[in-house]
Amino acid sequence: MVDKKENPHNHSQNQIFGKNTELYFAILCGVFLLTGFLVEKLTDFNNYVSLSSYLIAYFFGGFYISIEATNKIAKGGFDIDFLMIAAAAGAAYIGSWTEGALLLFLFSLGHALEHYAMNKAKKSIEALGDLSPKTALVKNNGKLKDIPIENLRINDIIVVKPNTKIAADGVIISGSSSINQAPITGESMPVDKTYIQDSSNLPGFKEIDKKHIVFTGTINGDGSLEVLVLKLTQDSTVSRLIKMVSEVETQKSPTQRLTKKFEKWYVPIVILIVFLLCFAYLIIDEDFKTSLYRAITVLVAASPCALAISTPSAVLSGIARAAQKGVLIKGGKALEDLGEITTIAFDKTGTLTEGKPKLTNVMPINNFDKNLFVELVLEVESLSNHPLAKAIVKDIKAQYSIESQNKASNVNAIQGKGIKASYDGKQVFIGNVKLMEDSSIKVDDDIISKMKNLLENGHTVMLVAYKKEIIGLISVMDTPRKAATTTLKRLKEIGIKHMVMLTGDHQNVGNAIAKQIGLTEAKGNLLPEDKVTAIKSLLQRYGKIAMVGDGVNDAPAMALSTVSVAMGAAGSDVALETADVALMSDKIENLPFVIGLSRESKRIIKQNIFISLGVVVLLVPVTILGLTNIGLAVAFHEGSTLVVVINALRLLRFNKN
């Protein structure tokens, strides 16, 4: 009902009875209403005694409502609070002090309970702020010192004792332990972490293997750790999460925007109708007091309180529940849109697959020396930063027990095709058929046949050319995630009809993995711009689409999708900022939970709108015809507001996967 950022009475609450002042004022209103009613009905005291009691009830009941109404009027708007004040003033004018005080009591009580319920959802989110410990144990020249976490600096070394919270995002440089990451990623089981072998030459935070990384607010197990701080407190994953969740609250969902537009026109129309009803006595046979009473009753019945709170309460509860499970949903729009999705596009590498390709084949041809072939591939690929190159280098070193001798030079990556370099003064090309053709290197049918066989079985194949001649081929394979098949099956069960994989790998690789894990379609050989084209095509075919990736490599395609979902967002600034939905853990199995939660949120929003509009549609004709009194109208009206809030809070217990 009230925009929390515009709530004008927060300061007053803190100054009088603390944060529950509004609730105490509502109760005092009820006490003086009951006192006035009993004095009026059961005693012979002068009417001024009961009237004084009603006036005090008016003061306590109308205090916060009047402040809010005044603030809104100052900004040029009439809202529900104004309608309630007008109704209470009208009741007083016609001498119906009891009904007026009852209206203010129930409305202010509903208001207070609504704020209480909304705050309960907000506290679930704000609890994130309690994750970080207040101090850290810093190791300096062999001595330990407890300092506030605000004073931590990058490259400080902190000591984390067993069963304590970790004070900074960083890399373990000593010790091993099981870490409870549930506060950040929502993972139910502790994750084994160990120290990094070489901390002197670290890559970027996102590039470090996650088994060495720890996050602020996670809980250490039984081992003692030393952690090298890589992020300042304000830049830590948990700090960014808190900041983004607080921003998320203010982002209106499509339904919220629609109800706001509705209210903007609805409230002035209600005021006009109520004004005209005051003069009904000129047309029908009744006195002015009866017409005015009916008009005031209509004013109560027509106020869209429940409608105003129906969507924000559900959105906030849904976002809070997601945050508890390690999922950041950025606002009502993302929440509602995800609930309508029936088509999902997946990036392949690291999303549906492990993202850790393994070297599967080393095949020299035409009697080329295998040792020389392996050495040549190792030297050239050692100069590349491409993930496949790193995997090839790692596996060659492990399988053949050799090290690079830095014999290659002049490496040059060719987008979507491969690399070229110099080895022993001669050019080397490692890549696909197109790279060879563009470099005027003949690829004969026998090589094509070998490639085709491997490609059909899901391998990624690279040709190797030396001295302008093909000397062999190598292949790698990225295996599907263990949870991919069961997750896709679950997605089908909850109504996802189309699941498409977008990959830069060969079409046959895509087809092999799609068949293996149960995708409906796979699109291969895609450059980043081709993925954007593919998303455009899917949007035309299916209307709305979610794109699931790592939030970095597929940023253009994800930006174009209706809802972008980033996996493994903990520690990734880019994924946190660009994605609409961020799964903090690297687990694809969380996807059905998020979609299920979004659908339940959408369902509850629809229920709430139906309830709130239903009560208005029922009450308004009945009150216009004079078939009910103001007390009954108030009871129905405020009852519907409480029903929609309680209905929305059910989302805090959502737990289906």
Side-chain angles (χ1 to χ4, degrees):
M1 186 189 308
V2 183
D3 188 334
K4 298 295 170 276
K5 291 192 83 173
E6 292 179 4
N7 194 341
H9 53 68
N10 287 337
H11 299 300
S12 304
Q13 287 182 344
N14 294 331
Q15 288 170 354
I16 307 172
F17 296 127
K19 61 183 179 181
N20 291 323
T21 300
E22 186 179 14
L23 185 59
Y24 296 144
F25 269 39
I27 292 167
L28 285 170
C29 172
V31 169
F32 283 101
L33 162 64
L34 183 62
T35 303
F37 180 76
L38 293 175
V39 167
E40 183 182 1
K41 299 297 180 186
L42 303 178
T43 70
D44 295 326
F45 291 144
N46 191 295
N47 285 343
Y48 287 114
V49 177
S50 59
L51 182 59
S52 298
S53 206
Y54 288 138
L55 280 169
I56 297 170
Y58 260 64
F59 169 78
F60 284 117
F63 184 79
Y64 287 119
I65 305 168
S66 301
I67 293 172
E68 292 189 23
T70 305
N71 273 275
K72 289 286 173 66
I73 291 167
K75 292 176 183 175
F78 293 96
D79 74 345
I80 301 145
D81 300 291
F82 173 77
L83 296 185
M84 290 298 100
I85 291 294
Y93 178 77
I94 59 174
S96 299
W97 288 97
T98 311
E99 287 89 343
L102 177 66
L103 169 66
L104 289 177
F105 166 61
L106 289 174
F107 186 72
S108 61
L109 182 64
H111 226 266
L113 291 175
E114 171 201 318
H115 287 154
Y116 175 81
M118 294 288 279
N119 284 335
K120 188 175 179 183
K122 284 179 72 177
K123 278 173 188 170
S124 297
I125 293 169
E126 288 165 357
L128 290 167
D130 299 327
L131 292 176
S132 305
K134 301 296 178 268
T135 60
L137 202 56
V138 176
K139 185 177 183 180
N140 194 358
N141 296 324
K143 294 180 180 178
L144 297 179
K145 186 182 179 183
D146 224 12
I147 67 166
I149 59 166
E150 294 80 13
N151 296 344
L152 281 175
R153 295 289 171 260
I154 288 173
N155 293 330
D156 277 353
I157 295 172
I158 60 172
V159 174
V160 185
K161 292 182 177 178
N163 305 309
T164 60
K165 285 184 178 178
I166 293 166
D169 284 15
V171 61
I172 302 170
I173 57 171
S174 176
S176 299
S177 187
S178 286
I179 309 290
N180 177 2
Q181 297 195 140
I184 300 293
T185 65
E187 294 166 281
S188 56
M189 297 297 291
V191 180
D192 290 335
K193 302 273 184 172
T194 188
Y195 66 94
I196 194 165
Q197 295 286 350
D198 180 14
S199 60
S200 59
N201 187 25
L202 291 172
F205 188 85
K206 180 68 176 172
E207 279 71 50
I208 300 172
D209 192 316
K210 289 195 175 180
K211 68 182 179 185
H212 306 309
I213 289 290
V214 293
F215 301 112
T216 307
T218 55
I219 303 157
N220 188 19
D222 294 332
S224 185
L225 303 173
E226 288 186 12
V227 175
L228 183 69
V229 177
L230 295 182
K231 289 193 177 186
L232 296 176
T233 302
Q234 63 268 29
D235 298 323
S236 69
T237 298
V238 70
S239 295
R240 297 180 70 83
L241 199 56
I242 295 161
K243 179 175 177 285
M244 286 178 178
V245 170
S246 61
E247 288 170 355
V248 153
E249 270 190 79
T250 64
Q251 296 173 18
K252 299 280 191 291
S253 75
T255 310
Q256 271 177 282
R257 287 198 294 270
L258 197 64
T259 52
K260 281 288 176 191
K261 282 181 184 175
F262 174 75
E263 283 175 43
K264 188 179 176 183
W265 290 100
Y266 180 79
V267 172
I269 289 169
V270 168
I271 293 170
L272 179 63
I273 290 170
V274 168
F275 176 75
L276 293 174
L277 283 171
C278 290
F279 301 99
Y281 72 95
L282 297 173
I283 299 169
I284 58 177
D285 185 21
E286 64 182 21
D287 57 20
F288 172 68
K289 186 176 178 181
T290 306
S291 292
L292 187 60
Y293 186 88
R294 181 195 290 111
I296 291 162
T297 309
V298 169
L299 188 58
V300 173
S303 297
C305 299
L307 180 65
I309 197 62
S310 60
T311 307
S313 58
V315 166
L316 193 57
S317 295
I319 290 169
R321 179 62 186 134
Q324 289 171 354
K325 294 278 279 185
V327 180
L328 173 62
I329 300 177
K330 291 193 181 174
K333 185 178 188 307
L335 184 72
E336 286 197 31
D337 283 344
L338 194 58
E340 296 175 355
I341 292 293
T342 57
T343 304
I344 302 177
F346 293 91
D347 172 42
K348 180 183 82 76
T349 308
T351 303
L352 293 172
T353 62
E354 293 289 351
K356 297 170 186 173
K358 297 286 181 189
L359 181 66
T360 49
N361 285 284
V362 175
M363 299 170 60
I365 59 172
N366 299 330
N367 298 317
F368 195 88
D369 182 80
K370 185 164 186 177
N371 291 333
L372 179 57
F373 181 76
V374 169
E375 182 186 290
L376 183 149
V377 171
L378 174 64
E379 296 294 343
V380 172
E381 295 287 18
S382 294
L383 298 176
S384 172
N385 286 321
H386 193 281
L388 287 183
K390 289 180 178 178
I392 291 165
V393 168
K394 181 183 173 185
D395 287 353
I396 284 178
K397 286 179 177 179
Q399 290 175 29
Y400 296 93
S401 302
I402 60 171
E403 290 294 328
S404 171
Q405 303 298 316
N406 300 319
K407 291 182 180 179
S409 60
N410 302 324
V411 71
N412 185 17
I414 300 160
Q415 179 74 34
K417 298 174 187 175
I419 59 171
K420 67 177 180 178
S422 295
Y423 175 80
D424 200 19
K426 306 290 190 303
Q427 276 198 324
V428 176
F429 295 86
I430 302 178
N432 57 23
V433 173
K434 188 153 180 49
L435 175 66
M436 301 304 157
E437 289 173 346
D438 291 351
S439 308
S440 303
I441 297 168
K442 187 184 177 186
V443 185
D444 62 35
D445 292 343
D446 184 45
I447 293 168
I448 294 290
S449 176
K450 282 185 170 73
M451 284 187 70
K452 190 175 179 184
N453 185 45
L454 288 168
L455 288 167
E456 283 174 354
N457 288 290
H459 298 261
T460 299
V461 185
M462 285 154 279
L463 297 170
V464 182
Y466 180 52
K467 298 180 182 177
K468 288 286 182 179
E469 193 177 311
I470 304 286
I471 60 168
L473 52 84
I474 53 175
S475 71
V476 294
M477 190 173 183
D478 184 11
T479 54
R481 286 173 178 263
K482 290 176 184 174
T485 306
T486 52
T487 300
L488 296 182
K489 187 180 177 185
R490 179 72 189 117
L491 287 172
K492 280 181 185 173
E493 287 170 1
I494 63 172
I496 302 298
K497 296 174 184 173
H498 313 284
M499 290 179 282
V500 185
M501 181 171 70
L502 307 179
T503 177
D505 288 342
H506 193 280
Q507 183 65 49
N508 289 344
V509 177
N511 290 343
I513 291 176
K515 188 177 179 182
Q516 205 173 334
I517 62 177
L519 286 163
T520 51
E521 191 179 345
K523 293 177 181 285
N525 300 314
L526 302 180
L527 296 172
E529 56 265 33
D530 298 327
K531 289 187 180 182
V532 171
T533 306
I535 292 292
K536 284 180 181 174
S537 169
L538 290 168
L539 282 167
Q540 286 175 349
R541 276 160 62 188
Y542 303 120
K544 289 188 175 183
I545 180 170
M547 170 85 185
V548 184
D550 62 8
V552 183
N553 303 327
D554 302 297
M558 291 178 78
L560 187 65
S561 62
T562 315
V563 185
S564 56
V565 182
M567 283 177 50
S572 171
D573 297 346
V574 178
L576 278 174
E577 288 181 5
T578 57
D580 299 312
V581 177
L583 308 183
M584 303 307 288
S585 73
D586 201 27
K587 293 190 172 180
I588 194 172
E589 52 266 43
N590 283 343
L591 198 54
F593 164 78
V594 185
I595 292 172
L597 175 65
S598 300
R599 291 192 170 172
E600 184 67 7
S601 301
K602 187 85 178 166
R603 196 170 69 86
I604 282 178
I605 287 168
K606 284 179 179 176
Q607 287 174 355
N608 282 355
I609 288 173
F610 179 79
I611 292 166
S612 52
L613 286 178
V615 169
V616 170
V617 168
L618 177 72
L619 276 182
V620 169
V622 170
T623 50
I624 286 175
L625 294 171
L627 300 177
T628 187
N629 61 31
I630 197 168
L632 200 59
V634 167
F636 266 92
H637 181 268
E638 294 309 322
S640 67
T641 302
L642 292 177
V643 166
V644 298
V645 170
I646 292 164
N647 194 35
L649 288 175
R650 289 194 298 124
L651 284 169
L652 291 173
R653 302 184 68 179
F654 180 83
N655 206 28
K656 292 177 186 173
N657 281 320

